[in-house]
Amino acid sequence: MEPDRSDHPEGPGVSARRSPGGHRPGAPGPLTSDRLTPDRLTPDRLTLDRPTLDRVRGRLLGVGYRITGTWADAEDAADEALARLVALDPGAAPDNVEAWLTTVTTRLCLDRLRRRKREDYIGAWLPEPVDTALLPEALAEQRDDLRIAVLLAYEQLGSDERAAFVLREAYALPYAEIAEILGAAAPTVRQWVSRARHHLDTDLRPPEPASPALIEQLVGAVMSGDLDATVAALTGDARVVSDSNGKVNAARRDIVGARKSAYFLVKAMELADDGRIAPVEVNGEFALAFHSRGVLRVAHLGVADGLVTRIYFHSNPAKLTRLALPEGFEPGPGG
């Protein structure tokens, strides 16, 4: 069982003065960067100007999103970490603000990740898609590990293993610092990172992004109702994964196999007689937005050996709020 560190998420060297209910007396609620103005960070060592604050918050969002796969959780954790920084007594101020915030955010995200894994979710779970243009600039430059297929592969890692890998690979933190954040020994952290890297390079290897030409080929085959041409664009073990949490009509189990997947896609298009399709850029890669009968779906494609091997359908309205969509493509009820 993984240790629960939620009682001391402030990080090493900072006391966690809390009431019996678990909250620090007088601590403010979560803040957004618009509310967290530099004049609120009164101790000299905590003063952050607007550009620095935005950069730091962007980094925290990147950490949180990679760990949880959910932008909402990343925002909550980043803003709670910043709020806790504001609430610190001057005498408890950390020497390294960014390291302290990274520690708090990481631990808060691990708490959210573990809690989510205990919750019931109807059908398959997919990471929350985010419009590439909405990502902080620093994150947009590191797009590959923000792809849905990569974030989904992270889901197969243990919580601490995942956090250690993210902090090492995405942010190049020293093993000793990661060990301090996770409350583990440095050799253990090295093992976690090595094991995660091995898994992601072998049995958890994420599919590659789809090229525009392959997407055009598959869409053309599906829209024309050509079952054989659709099958020809898929790998033999192709899989359709739908995430709706039961909020809209969607397959609750993965559809596996080229012919079954092709049949599902062709029939779905035939039933969507009022459907519209538009390209969108999500998580640094090309995707398709489908709108039919008042329901929005966003589809990502994963590729292996030049053929489509995974089709990820995002249908949960609660996870489709951070996309730049064409007019008329808004999520329906339930978001």
Side-chain angles (χ1 to χ4, degrees), residues 259-282:
R259 184 154 293 274
K260 288 183 179 179
S261 296
Y263 183 80
F264 171 82
L265 295 172
V266 169
K267 283 300 180 183
M269 185 57 64
E270 289 177 356
L271 294 173
D273 51 3
D274 64 338
R276 289 167 289 161
I277 302 177
V280 291
E281 189 179 346
V282 182

Side-chain angles (χ1 to χ4, degrees), residues 2 62-70 73 106 109-110 112-114 116-117 125-128 145 147-171 178 182 189 191-193 195-197 199-200:
E2 293 171 327
V63 170
Y65 185 46
R66 287 174 169 91
I67 291 176
T68 65
T70 306
D73 283 339
T106 298
C109 285
L110 285 173
R112 284 161 171 76
L113 181 62
R114 291 165 182 144
R116 189 188 75 214
K117 289 183 179 297
W125 184 95
L126 291 173
E128 180 182 1
D145 68 341
R147 292 192 296 116
I148 293 297
V150 176
L151 294 174
L152 188 58
Y154 286 175
E155 284 292 305
Q156 307 305 311
L157 303 175
S159 299
D160 284 328
E161 188 177 88
R162 178 174 180 168
F165 182 79
V166 165
L167 294 173
R168 180 63 183 176
E169 295 297 305
Y171 298 95
I178 299 172
L182 299 179
V189 170
Q191 290 179 351
W192 284 339
V193 173
R195 189 163 59 224
R197 188 182 294 119
H199 287 332
L200 293 168

Side-chain angles (χ1 to χ4, degrees), residues 11 45 95 143 154 167 171 248 318:
R45 72 174 70 187
D95 293 326
R143 292 179 179 177
Y154 286 175
L167 294 173
Y171 298 95
V248 301

Side-chain angles (χ1 to χ4, degrees), residues 8-9 11-12 103-111 180-183:
H8 299 282
T103 297
V104 176
T105 300
T106 298
R107 294 182 178 179
L108 289 171
C109 285
L110 285 173
D111 290 341
E180 198 169 15
I181 290 172
L182 299 179

Side-chain angles (χ1 to χ4, degrees), residues 64-289:
Y65 185 46
R66 287 174 169 91
I67 291 176
T68 65
T70 306
W71 195 256
D73 283 339
E75 285 187 321
D76 288 346
D79 290 338
E80 183 173 343
L82 289 164
R84 291 184 183 189
L85 177 65
V86 172
L88 287 176
D89 294 332
D95 293 326
N96 187 326
V97 171
E98 289 193 39
W100 187 92
L101 287 169
T102 299
T103 297
V104 176
T105 300
T106 298
R107 294 182 178 179
L108 289 171
C109 285
L110 285 173
D111 290 341
R112 284 161 171 76
L113 181 62
R114 291 165 182 144
R115 185 164 59 245
R116 189 188 75 214
K117 289 183 179 297
R118 293 194 296 267
E119 294 173 350
D120 292 330
Y121 196 88
I122 301 174
W125 184 95
L126 291 173
E128 180 182 1
V130 178
D131 176 56
T132 302
L134 299 180
L135 298 173
E137 184 175 352
L139 296 186
E141 296 172 358
Q142 301 169 316
R143 292 179 179 177
D144 188 68
D145 68 341
L146 292 172
R147 292 192 296 116
I148 293 297
V150 176
L151 294 174
L152 188 58
Y154 286 175
E155 284 292 305
Q156 307 305 311
L157 303 175
S159 299
D160 284 328
E161 188 177 88
R162 178 174 180 168
F165 182 79
V166 165
L167 294 173
R168 180 63 183 176
E169 295 297 305
Y171 298 95
L173 293 190
Y175 286 109
E177 186 174 339
I178 299 172
E180 198 169 15
I181 290 172
L182 299 179
T188 300
V189 170
R190 285 182 179 274
Q191 290 179 351
W192 284 339
V193 173
S194 177
R195 189 163 59 224
R197 188 182 294 119
H198 174 74
H199 287 332
L200 293 168
D201 285 341
T202 54
D203 51 309
L204 297 179
R205 188 175 183 86
E208 297 298 320
S211 68
L214 184 56
I215 293 173
E216 184 178 354
Q217 176 188 347
L218 179 63
V219 171
V222 171
M223 293 189 69
S224 66
D226 191 331
L227 183 62
D228 289 337
T230 303
V231 170
L234 306 175
T235 61
D237 62 348
R239 184 182 296 262
V240 177
V241 184
S242 298
D243 177 340
S244 72
N245 197 23
K247 295 183 178 180
V248 301
N249 186 31
R252 296 194 178 183
R253 294 184 179 179
D254 293 1
I255 298 167
V256 183
R259 184 154 293 274
K260 288 183 179 179
S261 296
Y263 183 80
F264 171 82
L265 295 172
V266 169
K267 283 300 180 183
M269 185 57 64
E270 289 177 356
L271 294 173
D273 51 3
D274 64 338
R276 289 167 289 161
I277 302 177
V280 291
E281 189 179 346
V282 182
N283 291 68
E285 60 184 317
F286 186 76
L288 292 169

